[in-house]
Amino acid sequence: MSTATTTAVTATTTHFDAAARDWDQRPMSQQMAAIAPRLLAAMPLAATDRVLDFGAGTGLLAAQIAPLVAQVTALDTSAAMLQVLTDKGYANITPLQGDIFALAPTALGPFDAIVSAMALHHVADTAALLRALAALLRPGGRVALVDLYAEDGSFHGDNAAKGVHHLGFAPEALQALAEQAGLQDVAFAEILQVQHKNGRSYPLFLMTAHKP
Ligand SMILES: C[S@@+](CC[C@H](N)C(=O)[O-])C[C@H]1O[C@@H](n2cnc3c(N)ncnc32)[C@H](O)[C@@H]1O
């Protein structure tokens, strides 16, 4: 595994380092397996594409994308989450430990596409995150980002301990930030309803856009 930056120890890294070993066995993770085919139907990828998976974790999304493309860079701050991915042995997935904000756009990419599942709500400054993602795309490159619609905090429950900075997102607000970051044709669709062990179901959105 490559290390791009020194990663600060935060609630987010502490939480995911501890969660890594059992991540793929969680009922929630198993439901999330449905994300990849739906995302790919909305944003088809080419065999020559180089793709960034932001907040890739154990590679639930990256592993389904990798067989279809040339290369996937799996960026995550959690060394333990990426170790689980590394152990899966995908030849064309490059696990990269680092913080998205500490990467120089020229050091990576540019990417043909950026995907992400359930990582946006762990980043405090969404506007800066979308600018960073846009900077890593080639002109004409595309993003497909999955996260929670605005919720009441019950999805994670202990939000602070899990490094949760946003209780989901309102599409209009996220669209405005994406457009300010230079992305165009921003569109939202519900991609999945996940059943939580608390008995409730939570809708997830897919946001697609491209860099002109
Ligand atoms: C809820 S997990 C999702 C993992 C994976 N995408 C999935 O669907 O299973 C969010 C991931 O984002 C990573 N993450 C959070 N903030 C990050 C940042 N600033 N830079 C890179 N990765 C980050 C966490 O370490 C964690 O592995």
Side-chain angles (χ1 to χ4, degrees):
M1 180 194 324
S2 302
T3 303
T5 62
T6 303
T7 301
V9 176
T10 62
T12 306
T13 51
T14 302
H15 168 65
F16 286 108
D17 281 350
R21 198 188 56 174
D22 299 323
W23 188 260
D24 288 2
Q25 284 72 49
R26 302 176 324 146
M28 187 62 75
S29 294
Q30 289 168 7
Q31 292 179 64
M32 300 282 180
I35 288 175
R38 296 175 190 183
L39 181 153
L40 288 163
M43 186 183 78
L45 293 170
T48 53
D49 278 349
R50 297 182 65 235
V51 179
L52 173 68
D53 183 354
F54 166 67
T58 61
L60 292 177
L61 186 54
Q64 292 195 64
I65 288 175
L68 306 174
V69 302
Q71 196 265 340
V72 180
T73 298
L75 177 70
D76 205 288
T77 41
S78 167
M81 294 287 271
L82 287 179
Q83 189 59 51
V84 175
L85 171 56
T86 301
D87 291 345
K88 293 176 183 173
Y90 286 86
N92 68 337
I93 298 180
T94 306
L96 180 62
Q97 189 198 358
D99 189 313
I100 185 79
F101 295 117
L103 295 175
T106 49
L108 274 180
F111 294 97
D112 299 295
I114 297 176
V115 300
S116 182
M118 301 300 280
L120 268 62
H121 61 258
H122 290 289
V123 177
D125 190 341
T126 311
L129 174 61
L130 291 167
R131 286 195 299 272
L133 295 181
L136 289 163
L137 280 177
R138 68 162 170 80
R142 296 164 297 158
V143 295
L145 310 176
V146 174
D147 214 296
L148 287 155
Y149 283 103
E151 49 99 17
D152 61 3
S154 58
F155 183 85
H156 294 90
D158 44 354
N159 290 287
K162 291 180 176 171
V164 173
H165 291 279
H166 302 277
L167 306 181
F169 297 90
E172 316 76 50
L174 198 53
Q175 176 168 353
L177 295 180
E179 289 170 351
Q180 286 165 24
L183 298 174
Q184 289 186 350
D185 293 334
V186 182
F188 287 84
E190 184 178 305
I191 190 169
L192 184 66
Q193 289 261 353
V194 288
Q195 305 301 316
H196 198 287
K197 62 186 176 191
N198 68 11
R200 295 173 58 177
S201 73
Y202 295 81
L204 308 184
F205 64 79
L206 169 66
M207 186 194 97
T208 52
H210 78 270
K211 178 173 175 172

